Amino acid sequence: MQVLPEGGLREKEPMSRHTTFRAGGPADYFAEPHNADQLAEVICICREAGVPYAVIGNGSNLLVGDLGYRGVVISIGKAFGEITVEENRICAGAGALLASVARNALAAELAGFEFAAGIPGSVGGAVVMNAGAYGSEMKDVMVSATVLTRDGKVVKIPSGKLELGYRTSCIPKEGYVVLGAEFVLEKGNPAEIRERMEELAGKRREKQPLEYPSAGSTFKRPEGDFAGRLIEVAGLRGFRIGDAQVSEKHCGFVINRGEASSADLLNLCREVQKRVREHSGVQLELEVKLLGEFSED
Ligand code: FAD
């Protein structure tokens, strides 16, 4: 693809390098466009050639199969990472990390983004997932997202039209690629903002197995309960398949203890779902997105 700059397209790129689970086989092609025009062009080429493509951000909510991805994985990375602050508005490119947005908010003495500082995703991935923590979510602070539509148009969509719900949006269904988002925050006291960010980071360190690769909470929170609690009462704390394990520290996290394959991780998730269903009748739903081809069990 000549549209991409030198090194912007790699063949047989191991997806374990691009996911926080540190698992996943090769993408046939891995494209890193540097701007929206290149991105649109890559997508146009894929569509015209009938080649499947998938857009990823920081890979922190993704499990890619051991057999990899047949098509083009398009990474929205640093080149889309611009952040600008104007009064109480922050515009962030889809490739900006939430931690950077939070740092910029703090520097501009803007409050309301602290909840997202410890979520290891990009703005694009966070908009798609309506990422949230500690009682807040993207929906509360985001006023609009700019997207590339299926037919190659760049459109700014108000948050209210993105069907933002608990870890969902209409973006995958519509085939949009998020290019950036606009957040409106409130003037705040920098010492208090910093303190809140440190408090939440402390909670994460205390409760979450951050020392192991994972994709965060593996399952969605079921109505009126917690996935971690249901997994624990089903006797699955520390339950292991190969190097895939239900974290002993936080049962809602599936972790990679080192050499877990994606099949190990997925089989563990399926087994957890089965045993929780048998134990408490609740069907846990994966929060983590699956991508590519998984080997047979
Ligand atoms: P990816 O994992 O790369 O992609 C996620 C989905 O979004 C995929 O379907 C992908 O196709 C799509 N996508 C990504 N970028 C774009 C784009 N630009 N345009 C269109 N589609 C796109 N999540 C929470 O909500 N709250 C938490 O507190 C939280 N804590 C976590 C803690 C840890 C240790 C880890 C590893 C993960 C945690 N997560 C949490 C999960 C994850 O960080 C979030 O879901 C995050 O928003 C995913 O962003 P990403 O850029 O990594 O997206």
Side-chain angles (χ1 to χ4, degrees):
M1 280 193 220
Q2 285 184 345
V3 51
L4 291 170
E6 181 83 19
L9 185 73
R10 298 206 280 275
E11 266 183 74
K12 303 214 181 329
E13 176 71 5
M15 290 305 294
S16 52
R17 287 190 193 151
H18 302 281
T19 59
T20 55
F21 255 138
R22 297 277 168 260
D28 285 350
Y29 293 96
F30 186 82
E32 288 179 292
H34 280 196
N35 54 46
D37 287 344
Q38 289 177 9
L39 170 68
E41 188 86 358
V42 170
I43 290 177
C44 181
I45 292 170
C46 289
R47 287 171 69 89
E48 278 176 9
V51 174
Y53 63 90
V55 174
I56 68 162
N58 205 36
S60 64
N61 201 44
L62 271 188
L63 179 57
V64 182
D66 296 311
L67 302 179
Y69 183 75
R70 300 291 75 77
V72 185
V73 169
I74 305 172
S75 166
I76 305 294
K78 284 196 196 95
F80 292 80
E82 199 188 344
I83 299 173
T84 55
V85 185
E86 221 173 279
E87 294 181 2
N88 63 337
R89 270 172 196 267
I90 300 189
C91 290
L97 293 178
L98 296 178
S100 311
V101 179
R103 274 198 301 278
N104 277 266
L106 169 62
E109 306 189 358
L110 295 174
F113 210 81
E114 300 88 309
F115 77 92
I119 302 176
S122 67
V123 164
V127 173
V128 171
M129 297 300 301
N130 186 26
Y134 305 109
S136 301
E137 53 189 10
M138 285 297 128
K139 192 182 175 190
D140 303 329
V141 287
M142 186 173 84
V143 288
S144 67
T146 301
V147 306
L148 183 69
T149 64
R150 274 204 185 102
D151 49 6
K153 293 200 180 80
V154 174
V155 184
K156 188 168 172 176
I157 303 181
S159 294
K161 298 225 162 121
L162 289 171
E163 297 174 30
L164 299 169
Y166 173 60
R167 303 297 168 264
T168 95
S169 68
C170 68
I171 292 166
K173 180 179 76 187
E174 299 293 347
Y176 295 152
V177 179
V178 180
L179 298 174
E182 195 179 352
F183 303 101
V184 170
L185 305 174
E186 287 181 2
K187 267 286 166 202
N189 174 319
E192 284 171 16
I193 298 169
R194 187 189 303 276
E195 196 180 319
R196 176 79 177 140
M197 278 165 54
E198 282 168 3
E199 178 203 337
L200 297 182
K203 278 194 185 172
R204 280 185 189 271
R205 279 193 301 273
E206 186 196 332
K207 299 259 161 65
Q208 301 181 357
L210 301 180
E211 59 280 24
Y212 289 105
S214 79
S217 297
T218 314
F219 303 96
K220 289 190 179 184
R221 198 175 55 230
E223 187 82 38
D225 214 324
F226 293 96
R229 192 196 74 81
L230 292 167
I231 294 167
E232 179 169 12
V233 297
L236 294 168
R237 183 181 290 274
F239 174 63
R240 200 165 163 166
I241 294 181
D243 258 357
Q245 186 179 35
V246 171
S247 163
E248 290 176 324
K249 192 167 174 185
H250 186 321
C251 291
F253 278 55
V254 167
I255 57 169
N256 178 355
R257 294 194 54 107
E259 302 296 322
S261 63
S262 297
D264 292 337
L265 291 159
L266 186 59
N267 289 339
L268 184 86
C269 292
R270 298 289 185 230
E271 193 58 29
V272 165
Q273 286 174 313
K274 176 169 162 272
R275 295 204 197 175
V276 166
R277 194 170 53 239
E278 283 165 3
H279 189 268
S280 50
V282 177
Q283 178 62 46
L284 291 179
E285 192 189 330
L286 275 180
E287 178 172 323
V288 169
K289 303 277 187 191
L290 304 179
L291 182 68
E293 296 179 359
F294 287 77
S295 46
E296 296 297 314
D297 291 354

